[in-house]
Amino acid sequence: MKIYTKGGDKGHTSLIGGERVPKYDCRVEAYGTVDELTAFTALLADKLVGDRFPKSVGQLRRIESQLMTVAALLAVGEGGQGKVASVSDEATTDLEQWIDRMQERLPAITKFTIPGGDERISLCHVCRTVCRRAERAALRAAEQCEVPSEVLVYLNRLSDYFYLLGRTVADRTSTEEILWIP
């Protein structure tokens, strides 16, 4: 099977179910941004491989899989309903539990943190900001098309996860958090 089909050469692509849409369609923008987030999440996991972060790496690998489901759900067009499994409630509950555990172990802060101090911390913030952009794109798509609510909830929770993972990396590597002082 060839990797190229030439079907998109004129600026259109197919959604799940066969519907053809312009490549700038809000759904394509949303699932493309989630695809970008998946790639950054994989890079973050690769950067955390080692003896200090085995649980985090495992979590990130699970998140990558969930993001593929999120992207697929955003790619559903006419005739594609029911062809993609939903994001499970368990996936969001897992995120919430991971967030709660990280937050319990971290010192409280009264100022915003700024990315930096360690490449891995900055990459957590790249993931957080791309996740927020993916969430905004999914919300725009939801204004025009059917987007399962669990997709929006998952993306919202996931950005919080990346924020706290950045703080956790700072804590475990004894990197001083950079606080925003206006």
Side-chain angles (χ1 to χ4, degrees):
M1 180 171 110
K2 289 186 177 187
I3 190 69
Y4 60 88
T5 64
K6 300 183 182 183
D9 289 354
K10 294 184 179 173
H12 285 75
T13 192
S14 294
L15 298 176
I16 296 172
E19 180 184 355
R20 298 283 296 168
V21 297
K23 289 185 176 182
Y24 56 80
D25 183 272
C26 61
R27 292 166 288 187
V28 178
E29 184 66 34
Y31 74 69
T33 306
V34 172
D35 187 32
E36 179 184 355
L37 176 59
T38 305
F40 275 120
T41 301
L43 179 60
L44 175 58
D46 293 345
K47 293 285 187 182
L48 292 178
V49 168
D51 57 351
R52 281 192 197 172
F53 302 102
K55 285 185 184 176
S56 298
V57 171
Q59 291 168 358
L60 290 166
R61 297 301 184 206
R62 287 177 59 192
I63 288 167
E64 288 174 55
S65 183
Q66 287 301 315
L67 287 172
M68 293 296 290
T69 301
V70 167
L73 288 165
L74 290 165
V76 170
E78 290 178 23
Q81 292 77 10
K83 292 188 177 185
V84 178
S86 183
V87 174
S88 70
D89 290 338
E90 180 183 321
T92 301
T93 301
D94 285 346
L95 281 178
E96 291 170 348
Q97 290 173 352
W98 299 338
I99 289 167
D100 291 344
R101 278 190 222 121
M102 285 188 285
Q103 196 162 19
E104 287 170 2
R105 294 180 175 127
L106 293 169
I109 55 172
T110 59
K111 299 187 179 342
F112 289 107
T113 59
I114 296 174
D118 183 287
E119 179 180 71
R120 296 164 294 185
I121 295 167
S122 296
L123 192 50
C124 288
H125 285 280
V126 169
C127 289
R128 176 185 59 79
T129 58
V130 173
C131 187
R132 286 287 188 211
R133 182 162 38 90
E135 181 185 13
R136 291 189 302 272
L139 286 165
R140 281 190 298 278
E143 289 289 319
Q144 300 176 30
C145 311
E146 187 176 327
V147 173
S149 61
E150 61 268 16
V151 164
L152 304 174
V153 171
Y154 187 80
L155 289 172
N156 186 38
R157 211 66 81 247
L158 184 56
S159 61
D160 295 332
Y161 171 86
F162 286 124
Y163 175 75
L164 281 169
L165 183 57
R167 292 201 63 221
T168 298
V169 170
D171 185 63
R172 288 194 192 156
T173 60
S174 300
T175 302
E176 186 176 345
E177 288 186 284
I178 303 170
L179 300 178
W180 178 43
I181 302 171

